[in-house]
Amino acid sequence: MLPTPSTSHVDTNRIYEPAEDSFLLLDTLSSEAETRFLTQRFAGHQPTGHYDDSHPSPLVLEVGSGSGVVLAFVTAHAHAIFGRADVIALGTDVNTFACEATKQTVTQACQATKEEDVDGAGILLATLSADLASPIRDGITDLLIFNPPYVPSPAVPELKYFKPGTGITDTECTSRTFEEDSHLLQLSYDGGVDGIEVTNRLLERLPDLLNLARGTAYILLCAQNKPGEIMQRVRGWGDAWSVAAVGHSGKKAGWEKLQIIRIWRG
């Protein structure tokens, strides 16, 4: 069993705390079935450690990285999950505090892997303060991970504290109120009507975001998000696309039951 990265440094008053949904992603991505799929999907390295140009280093993007626990997990355990260690990680979040937390979580997890003399940690390219994947160029994402705001709510909270391209200044960080911090947390779980409004925005761009040859996405949903309808929508994208349910929460708690779907080309 692969160790879970430490998030003891994360300020949970401002950043979504790892919970059942986060751990379901970790369990799913490290399961035998998914590591086999991902290893086959991203194979192409040579035993010498030199990589074929036709199989470049996979770019892993987590949208809404929060505490960074998921991105840290797949980066620190890259070799175990992908069968290769040359993974490049990138995280985005509307919450600048989350971007900083993600950076620290990933850095610490990769350092712990190196200290344990375990071969296989990737590298963190950057964490970007951004609305979903807005700054990411089309076609370069090999693996996308998204634990969205999935709780049904009257509306998606306004991004009134997010300034595209600028983030939050040090002065603003020190003067934030309880209401502003609460708003940041709301952004991490309030998903609008059926809890799916934010996910719908990402799905609209997903076919362009993912790499044409090996693009893959893991998206977490709850029962009220109507995952069956979402999977049917993906099938409507054409024969080049496949979708499957690959992870489920062990609880039967009505609409809170969680599911992870995998979307991929091929």
Side-chain angles (χ1 to χ4, degrees):
M1 186 173 181
L2 301 175
T4 300
S6 171
T7 55
S8 60
H9 56 279
V10 174
D11 181 356
T12 55
N13 292 315
R14 292 169 163 171
I15 301 164
Y16 182 74
E17 184 176 9
E20 181 186 3
D21 46 9
S22 309
F23 301 129
L24 178 59
L25 275 166
L26 302 193
D27 290 343
T28 299
L29 290 165
S30 61
S31 68
E32 182 178 353
E34 292 313 297
T35 55
R36 181 168 59 250
F37 172 86
L38 291 169
T39 297
Q40 293 172 350
R41 186 83 165 165
F42 295 102
H45 61 283
Q46 304 298 319
T48 59
H50 297 291
Y51 296 89
D52 191 330
D53 287 343
S54 63
H55 298 85
S57 300
L59 177 66
V60 177
L61 168 67
E62 183 177 13
V63 176
S65 58
S67 68
V69 67
V70 176
L71 190 62
F73 184 82
V74 298
T75 308
H77 306 303
H79 192 273
I81 294 173
F82 299 95
R84 57 192 297 175
D86 63 325
V87 166
I88 300 170
L90 182 64
T92 68
D93 204 294
V94 296
N95 183 342
T96 302
F97 299 107
C99 292
E100 290 302 314
T102 293
K103 184 185 301 183
Q104 186 171 347
T105 305
V106 176
T107 300
Q108 290 180 177
C110 291
Q111 184 60 38
T113 298
K114 293 176 182 176
E115 290 175 356
E116 292 166 8
D117 199 25
V118 178
D119 182 30
I123 62 170
L124 176 66
L125 178 63
T127 57
L128 305 175
S129 178
D131 179 19
L132 298 178
S134 55
I136 309 303
R137 183 161 53 89
D138 287 346
I140 67 170
T141 301
D142 296 301
L143 182 71
L144 183 145
I145 304 169
F146 190 34
N147 181 0
Y150 58 79
V151 177
S153 60
V156 175
E158 181 186 357
L159 300 181
K160 58 184 178 181
Y161 303 125
F162 172 65
K163 300 178 181 179
T166 62
I168 301 173
T169 68
D170 291 340
T171 301
E172 289 172 314
C173 288
T174 58
S175 63
R176 301 183 73 85
T177 66
F178 172 79
E179 288 75 18
E180 290 172 326
D181 289 345
S182 297
H183 185 84
L184 287 175
L185 290 178
Q186 276 187 294
L187 286 168
S188 68
Y189 54 74
D190 279 357
V193 177
D194 292 329
I196 200 66
E197 291 187 38
V198 180
T199 302
N200 279 338
R201 289 178 54 219
L202 183 73
L203 287 171
E204 288 173 2
R205 194 180 166 207
L206 191 63
D208 295 323
L209 270 174
L210 294 181
N211 181 273
L212 285 171
R214 56 185 187 178
T216 306
Y218 289 88
I219 299 177
L220 186 141
L221 304 165
C222 77
Q224 279 201 356
N225 300 155
K226 303 177 182 178
E229 293 184 10
I230 292 173
M231 293 173 70
Q232 191 59 36
R233 189 194 316 171
V234 174
R235 295 186 183 102
W237 292 351
D239 294 339
W241 291 94
S242 299
V243 60
V246 295
H248 301 268
S249 62
K251 298 180 181 179
K252 295 182 179 179
W255 67 266
E256 292 181 346
K257 187 172 183 181
L258 303 175
Q259 182 175 123
I260 294 172
I261 62 170
R262 185 216 302 147
I263 301 171
W264 72 103
R265 292 184 183 273

